[in-house]
Amino acid sequence: MISVGITGTGKYLPEKVVTNEDIVNMGLDTSTEWIEERTGIKERRVAEENISSSDMAFEAAEDALKDAGLDSEDIDLLIVSTTTPDYQVFPSTACLLQDRLGLRNVGAFDLSAACTGFSYALTTGAQFVKSGDMKNVLVVSVDCLSRFVDWTDRSICILFGDGAGAVVLSEVDKDYGILLSELYSQGDAADLLMVPAGGSRRMMSMDILEQKENLVRMDGRAVFKMAVNSFVPSVLNAVKKAGLSLDDINYFVPHQANLRIIDLAAQKLKLDKNKVLINIQKYGNTSSASIPIIMAEAKREGLFKDGDIIVMAGFGAGFTWAVNILRWGGINV
Ligand code: COA
């Protein structure tokens, strides 16, 4: 079996910054203190009107290709994880991106697992390299949830931001790369976090628009509990299954949804604060893009050293969650 690692990372954040103060100034019944204290978020990025998911994905993908030292002709497969595609039904955002990147003779498809999208796409893409069928797979995770939140709902609009992250998956030295991936789903909790209408169950109508049922609905408290109770035990299991202990973890990279969720997880996993990567204060919850964005930032800062054990943990609507354990380095093949 071929070892597969992350050999390039990239990110894109829209230029427009919306601070907590901006949200207060929109007239919402909230305060900068409440938002920061309850979520850890200070500001988030919001895509300008003329920027779509595929535009952000393009920038992150180019960044990752450059970082990996690869050209578009080196890529054998493109996977885009998103729940906010350019077009509701088709074509896929992956096909739009494949064209813009000039990828030729490759498969390209979208993958939908909400905020867990990156973890699912990473796991899926890695299989093609692991089997020897493909050399380089490009995974791009992008979301533009600012288009799907009610900017008058103080409990939801404060949380989300837009952005894209990307990784290149290629062969690495033996015993490096992705050591273990575990995917989970629990559809009986689907209604905790959903966009209730606008799909095939209830097609778009004037009534739906008036009731804002085409926008995100969430039971925040229940999602909070579900998140902590799902991915924390799964991280513990995965670490054990990989033959590692919690002390072996050099960096923990959780999905950035709420700082209190991250802190609680770190506490339960008995991880030192300096091992936990956090950027939620700058970007809010960028959904499937959050883990690859923070991975790209950490790599640019030179944080990861050869042999570091990195545990990535995603969770989100569905309900879905996932854990990927990676040994960094070995990029000499
Ligand atoms: N400003 C001020 N008050 C607010 C507020 C805001 N922006 N948003 C909610 N409140 C109010 C509520 O209306 C409620 O008021 P009430 O007691 O009069 O009914 C009070 O604050 C407490 O609400 P609660 O929902 O218990 O707050 P919380 O501490 O759980 O924080 C969230 C709310 C949404 C920040 C938090 O539940 C959360 O982050 N949940 C997880 C969401 C998530 O991660 N989603 C994505 C998963 S991928």
Side-chain angles (χ1 to χ4, degrees), residues 22 63 115 121 126 131 162 178 213 289 312 317 321:
D22 292 331
D63 196 24
C115 297
S131 66
D162 302 331
I178 299 165
E213 288 181 295
M312 294 173 273
W321 69 101

Side-chain angles (χ1 to χ4, degrees), residues 30 34 38 115 154-155 218 220-221 223 255 257-258 260 285:
T30 186
W34 194 97
R38 305 307 289 168
C115 297
R154 66 178 185 174
S155 65
M218 179 179 69
R221 241 184 252 186
V223 169
H255 169 50
N258 183 317
R260 287 190 293 135
N285 178 350

Side-chain angles (χ1 to χ4, degrees), residues 44-110:
R44 69 286 293 141
R45 302 295 179 94
V46 170
E48 293 78 4
E49 235 169 77
N50 61 337
I51 292 184
S52 69
S53 286
S54 72
D55 297 323
M56 293 192 281
F58 174 73
E59 302 294 338
E62 288 235 299
D63 196 24
L65 285 174
K66 195 171 156 213
D67 187 47
L70 296 181
D71 293 320
S72 50
E73 60 261 30
D74 298 318
I75 296 299
D76 304 306
L77 176 71
L78 171 64
I79 305 175
V80 173
S81 73
T82 186
T83 38
T84 53
D86 280 26
Y87 299 102
Q88 182 88 348
V89 181
F90 46 66
S92 67
T93 301
C95 279
L96 304 174
L97 183 59
Q98 166 268 318
D99 180 49
R100 273 188 77 182
L101 289 169
L103 307 184
R104 296 288 164 248
N105 303 315
V106 304
F109 63 92
D110 284 4

Side-chain angles (χ1 to χ4, degrees), residues 33 35 40 146 225 301 330:
E33 295 77 22
I35 301 172
S146 67
K225 272 191 211 149
E301 284 167 21

